[in-house]
Every structure is written in structure tokens, then in C-alpha cells.
Amino acid sequence: MDLKKILPVFSYIFHPIFVSLYGTLFFFLITNSFFYNSQIIVTLIQVTILTLLLPLSMYFLFRSLGVVSSFTEASISERKMPIAVQAVLLFVLIKFSVSRDTVAELYFFFLGGFLSSVIVLASVILKFKASLHMIGISALTCFIFGLSMYYQMPFVNLVAFSIVCVGLVASSRLYMKAHTYPELIAGIIIGAGPQLFLYQYWL
């Protein structure tokens, strides 16, 4: 099998729009015994609406208006509005839906995502195109690693798999000619930086 032919698949599987839901599902997968089923379902619904369904709806609206032209590739000018919307929705999520008192780990995961959104929005305004895919997969990898330390569960294989996925997503973006090496590295820093910084508040 030619790896290059399947590399673009990783750009879709690990699209930034899915990362919040992946992180939430993984969190509840290992902590479900600490919560009522109703709490888990309500949180999953809120996360799905605010990080997946609404952004998807906005994407199709923006596409119909000609604001964006692609789901996996976007120019600098096309990025401003979707990133701004993402930042607002993440703020709403951490302000009104995900409580620090009940799901602290998840709260800081989304807070890190919000900080990353603000940073990348600033970079877009400054005409720099950091990789959103690398921001997403790097943040998710840091969250998985953080949870493994917090709950003292040896997710060695999963953490290793996540790191491999970081490489595959980066290769995918290069293969699709969507980003340069500096843009990929910037994405990793913007995605992982806030998550690593916030470790001190919940680990």
C-alpha cells in the first residue's frame, strides 16, 4: 500500500473540528465511573453542538457566502472568521457548559484550546498561517498524556500512537502542500504550549 495515497485521510480524521469531541470521548471513557450517565450525555451533547455541529453549520454558511473554499485547506484571509467563531464557541463552552468544579481536566483542555484559538487568530491577523491541524492533534496528544499522568494509568501505547499521528498529520499536510515546515512547527507550539502551561492547574 502506498502511504502517500492514504496520507490525506489523516487530514480528515484529525481535522481540528473533531479534536474537542475526541478529547471529551476519551476523558469520559476513562472517568465514566465518576459521573452519572446523565452528566456524561449532557456534556457530550453540549460539546458536540458547540464544537462540531455549529462550526460545521457556520462552515457551510461561510462556503455559500464565498468566505471559505475548502474544509481542509484555507488561505490566510479565509481563516479569520472561522477561527474567530471557534474562539467564541470555546469561550461559551468553558463559561457556561464545562464546569471547572465538576470536570476540571476537561475544562482546562478546552481553556487551552481557547488560548490556542486566540493565539492563532493573532497570527492570522499578522499574516502568518500556522497549521490548525497540528494545533488540534498536538493539543489532543498533550491532553491524553496529561490524563495518563493524572490518573496514573499507563497509556504508553496510546500516547505513542498519538505521537505517531502527529507525524502522520504533519506528513499529510506537507503531502497536500497545505503547509510549510515552519507553519507545522508553529502549529505544534501553539497547540501544545497552552496545554502544557495549564498542566500546573490540574495535574
Side-chain angles (χ1 to χ4, degrees), residues 115-135:
L115 294 175
S116 293
S117 296
V118 172
I119 294 170
V120 78
L121 181 59
S123 74
V124 168
I125 293 173
L126 296 173
K127 307 296 183 184
F128 181 76
K129 183 184 173 185
S131 172
L132 300 180
H133 282 75
M134 298 313 297
I135 291 174

Side-chain angles (χ1 to χ4, degrees), residues 20-93:
S20 294
L21 188 55
Y22 290 162
T24 305
L25 287 170
F26 178 71
F27 171 72
F28 284 125
L29 183 66
I30 64 173
T31 64
N32 61 84
S33 59
F34 302 136
F35 301 97
Y36 294 112
N37 287 337
S38 58
Q39 289 177 293
I40 296 174
I41 292 171
V42 168
T43 303
L44 283 172
I45 290 174
Q46 292 173 330
V47 171
T48 300
I49 290 173
L50 288 171
T51 68
L52 182 60
L53 298 182
L54 277 178
L56 271 177
S57 300
M58 295 302 293
Y59 162 75
F60 288 115
L61 173 62
F62 291 152
R63 184 156 187 170
S64 67
L65 296 174
V67 177
V68 297
S69 59
S70 173
F71 186 63
T72 58
E73 299 177 49
S75 64
I76 291 180
S77 61
E78 293 177 338
R79 287 166 164 245
K80 291 180 183 178
M81 192 62 69
I83 292 173
V85 169
Q86 180 190 42
V88 170
L89 292 176
L90 284 174
F91 177 78
V92 170
L93 186 65

Side-chain angles (χ1 to χ4, degrees), residues 9-29:
V9 174
F10 292 95
S11 285
Y12 290 95
I13 295 176
F14 292 105
H15 191 282
I17 204 170
F18 301 127
V19 166
S20 294
L21 188 55
Y22 290 162
T24 305
L25 287 170
F26 178 71
F27 171 72
F28 284 125
L29 183 66

